[in-house]
Amino acid sequence: MEKTRAVITGVHGWVPDYVLTNHELETMVDTNDEWITTRTGIKERRILKGEGLGTSVIGTESVKGLLEKTNTDPKDIDLIICATVTPDMPFPATANIIADNVGAVNSYSFDISAACSGFMFGLTMGAQFIETGAHKKVIVIGADKMSSIVNYEDRTTCIIFGDGGGAVLLEPTTENLGIMDSLLRSDGSGAPYLNMKAGGSRRPASMETVAAKEHFARQEGAVVFKFAVNNMADVSVRIMERNNLGPEDVAWLVPHQANKRIIDATASKMGIGPEKVMVNIDRYGNTTAGTLPLCLWDYESQLKKGDNLVLAAFGGGFTWGSIYLKWGYDPK
Ligand SMILES: CC(C)(COP(=O)(O)OP(=O)(O)OC[C@H]1O[C@@H](n2cnc3c(N)ncnc32)[C@H](O)[C@@H]1OP(=O)(O)O)[C@@H](O)C(=O)NCCC(=O)NCCS
């Protein structure tokens, strides 16, 4: 019997309109466009402004666009997974809110928390529900409103992050397409280096935690940088090796957009030329779980059926990993 795989049959992204440029950041913290551009590759990022608007707005707009372009009835969706570290609220899950907003009344839904690797973890999980035959249509969302946890007085973090995300539809196929392999890792000993200290059960919100600015993302940038360069490249090279892929076989590297220098180092270790690397960090910064679907959405018109894509990401946890997939359709 032919093997059933899960293939991406559509992708759609969404970013808010407000553009926060490096020049505007110069008026907020002691930084400059030249430093940000050379150290990170970021020129601008999007910010979701407006009272009461959370990550579900990004997810809802992405899924609405996805349903429309794939001509999918929301009632046919079996499962919605949302990867995010900035849920609308601790519970209910943001995926539940999105499902309600789009009319996915027959679906169940939940969030997963794996920081910048969240979309990849969700994609692997969603694919397995399809491969087992349990579900026919699964939506995986990666979305974050990072501006809700960024301290705009901290120049080491506020220059990096932005708001945005996207969603993909997974469906079964017996063609030689779809999610072929994934290699996912995590290491909780990395927790001190990239985290948000308060607001969870260990340090619930209090006057003290607010005063100490513990509800903001914080990082030890140099430690994270080193970890990312070594580990994101390592798993990407390993996934190529175990699938007998040479650099010439890979049509696109789809890397997490955290720092252009990390992207370049990863591509170089894989032997992939810059012309085959998806990059939009200059326009969106690091949207955490949102970066990979935003890349796929941006580059969708250049992707051809059967193209070999290697996805790679790392993030808080630490979490990291790589996915090898064969793209499912030609440009429409
Ligand atoms: C944050 C990051 C861009 C900093 O770049 P870096 O080259 O490591 O810079 P350093 O932290 O060594 O700082 C170098 C100097 O620039 C200064 N600096 C830091 N942020 C600055 C800013 N926004 N503007 C100007 N100067 C800044 C530092 O204070 C330091 O000054 P000093 O030498 O006088 O102490 C980089 O470490 C990084 O990208 N790390 C990974 C972060 C990441 O990817 N996080 C998300 C994970 S998903």
Side-chain angles (χ1 to χ4, degrees):
M1 211 175 85
E2 284 166 318
K3 182 176 165 56
T4 297
R5 287 202 168 86
V7 65
I8 293 176
T9 52
V11 58
H12 198 72
W14 190 83
V15 289
D17 290 335
Y18 190 88
V19 179
L20 175 59
T21 62
N22 289 351
H23 292 298
E24 187 176 350
L25 280 168
E26 286 173 1
T27 68
M28 298 159 68
V29 288
D30 181 14
T31 192
N32 57 77
D33 174 51
E34 202 265 330
W35 192 96
I36 302 172
T37 307
T38 53
R39 297 290 177 118
T40 70
I42 302 168
K43 296 298 280 184
E44 58 190 44
R45 63 293 287 142
R46 300 300 180 96
I47 304 295
L48 181 56
K49 300 232 176 193
E51 205 53 38
L53 302 181
T55 294
S56 65
V57 172
I58 301 168
T60 300
E61 293 304 322
S62 299
V63 174
K64 275 186 184 164
L66 178 67
L67 293 171
E68 196 182 311
K69 77 198 275 190
T70 56
N71 208 9
T72 303
D73 185 338
K75 295 190 188 70
D76 292 339
I77 301 299
D78 300 304
L79 166 63
I80 297 181
I81 301 172
C82 180
T84 186
V85 291
T86 51
D88 280 24
M89 52 190 108
F91 71 91
T94 300
N96 296 172
I97 297 167
I98 297 167
D100 182 48
N101 287 346
V102 303
V105 290
N106 297 315
S107 149
Y108 68 103
S109 48
F110 56 85
D111 290 355
I112 59 166
S113 170
C116 300
S117 311
F119 179 76
M120 262 184 0
F121 284 27
L123 194 60
T124 302
M125 195 187 286
Q128 287 170 357
F129 281 106
I130 302 263
E131 284 163 17
T132 60
H135 299 322
K136 293 273 182 280
K137 289 183 194 290
V138 174
I139 288 179
V140 182
I141 304 160
D144 270 297
K145 182 190 170 186
M146 292 305 290
S147 61
S148 64
I149 59 165
V150 162
N151 177 1
Y152 286 97
E153 293 173 351
D154 173 7
R155 68 178 183 173
T156 67
T157 50
C158 73
I159 56 149
I160 293 174
F161 294 104
D163 303 339
V168 296
L169 178 62
L170 287 172
E171 295 184 86
T173 181
T174 49
E175 284 186 82
N176 188 32
L177 294 171
I179 315 299
M180 309 299 283
D181 193 12
S182 69
L183 178 48
L184 308 179
R185 302 294 312 278
S186 58
D187 177 358
S189 71
Y193 307 110
L194 182 54
N195 58 36
M196 185 173 108
K197 268 192 182 164
S201 53
R202 192 190 288 188
R203 279 183 72 71
S206 67
M207 300 295 271
E208 193 193 341
T209 61
V210 172
K213 301 188 190 306
E214 290 179 359
H215 296 274
F216 292 125
R218 51 169 297 284
Q219 64 175 358
E220 288 183 30
V223 178
V224 178
F225 189 94
K226 205 169 147 199
F227 184 89
V229 167
N230 290 332
N231 290 288
M232 191 159 100
D234 175 58
V235 287
S236 307
V237 168
R238 277 169 55 199
I239 211 159
M240 283 171 68
E241 281 169 3
R242 76 183 194 188
N243 289 282
N244 298 317
L245 295 172
E248 66 286 357
D249 302 315
V250 177
W252 292 99
L253 167 63
V254 192
H256 175 48
Q257 309 283 304
N259 184 313
K260 180 68 166 50
R261 290 184 292 149
I262 298 174
I263 295 172
D264 292 344
T266 303
S268 141
K269 285 193 187 173
M270 294 167 73
I272 308 268
E275 71 287 354
K276 296 203 283 189
V277 182
M278 294 190 187
V279 176
N280 58 17
I281 190 171
D282 49 324
R283 286 178 291 134
Y284 302 138
N286 181 350
T287 55
T288 302
T291 62
L292 297 187
L294 269 180
C295 273
L296 293 174
W297 176 54
D298 257 2
Y299 282 80
E300 185 189 17
S301 63
Q302 299 181 53
L303 300 177
K304 294 190 292 297
K305 188 172 177 178
D307 274 355
N308 289 323
L309 273 54
V310 175
L311 280 54
F314 73 95
F318 292 124
T319 55
W320 70 104
S322 188
I323 288 180
Y324 160 42
L325 66 84
K326 277 184 178 290
W327 193 246
Y329 55 96
D330 286 322
K332 286 167 185 154

